[in-house]
Amino acid sequence: MNRKEQAVMLHKRGFNCAQSVACSFCHVMGADPIQTFKLAEPLGFGMGHMGPCGAVSAMALVVGMKISDGNLDNPKTKKECYKMMKELTEAFVNKNGSMICSEIKGVETNKVLRTCDGCIEDAVALLDKYLLGIE
């Protein structure tokens, strides 16, 4: 099973979109799955109010797992993390037309731009490509 399939399977098991994306990268990043699950939980459903897409928010968690130096005394990786998130977010919006959950779900327009599973697959694919260099 590839990472996209794993993430969608987690979503079908009841993980929210953010948990599905972030937890599918735990083994690659050496992150604790339970801690990642907890951190990602409030990011689902567009941070609970159909704001920023949970799959996009989870991309930020994964970027931090990979790029952040974790140096509490003298952090030096913020700019690199911001640059990567800008690239990922732009790519996600180019593919889906928005990164706002309510817009993606067509709440006001009745035009669904992408399913949750589709957003999860896109987020995983973008992380694989931009962050890990896997096509």
Side-chain angles (χ1 to χ4, degrees):
M1 175 180 326
N2 67 35
R3 200 174 349 274
K4 284 195 300 190
E5 293 167 339
Q6 178 191 14
V8 170
M9 185 261 316
L10 292 173
H11 191 238
K12 291 185 185 324
R13 280 187 31 207
F15 287 38
N16 69 33
C17 48
Q19 291 166 322
S20 300
V21 172
C23 289
S24 71
F25 282 87
C26 283
H27 68 285
V28 175
M29 302 300 170
D32 175 47
I34 295 171
Q35 188 66 23
T36 301
F37 181 90
K38 288 179 177 183
L39 290 169
E41 191 158 336
L43 302 175
F45 194 61
M47 294 188 180
H49 64 95
M50 297 194 87
C53 173
V56 173
S57 297
M59 287 194 300
L61 290 177
V62 176
V63 166
M65 288 181 209
K66 175 72 173 168
I67 295 176
S68 177
D69 60 16
N71 186 337
L72 301 180
D73 295 322
N74 188 18
K76 294 183 180 178
T77 52
K78 290 189 295 264
K79 286 183 182 178
E80 190 178 351
C81 284
Y82 301 159
K83 181 178 184 255
M84 178 59 66
M85 273 314 297
K86 183 176 185 223
E87 290 178 35
L88 289 166
T89 302
E90 287 174 353
F92 186 91
V93 170
N94 286 339
K95 181 163 179 56
N96 296 300
S98 180
M99 63 168 273
I100 304 301
C101 181
S102 62
E103 293 173 6
I104 295 167
K105 298 287 127 218
V107 171
E108 293 182 17
T109 63
N110 289 322
K111 181 183 177 199
V112 176
L113 302 176
R114 193 81 164 119
T115 65
C116 290
D117 284 348
C119 289
I120 289 166
E121 290 173 339
D122 294 343
V124 170
L126 289 169
L127 286 165
D128 276 346
K129 178 180 178 181
Y130 285 85
L131 195 63
L132 302 180
I134 301 169
E135 293 280 341

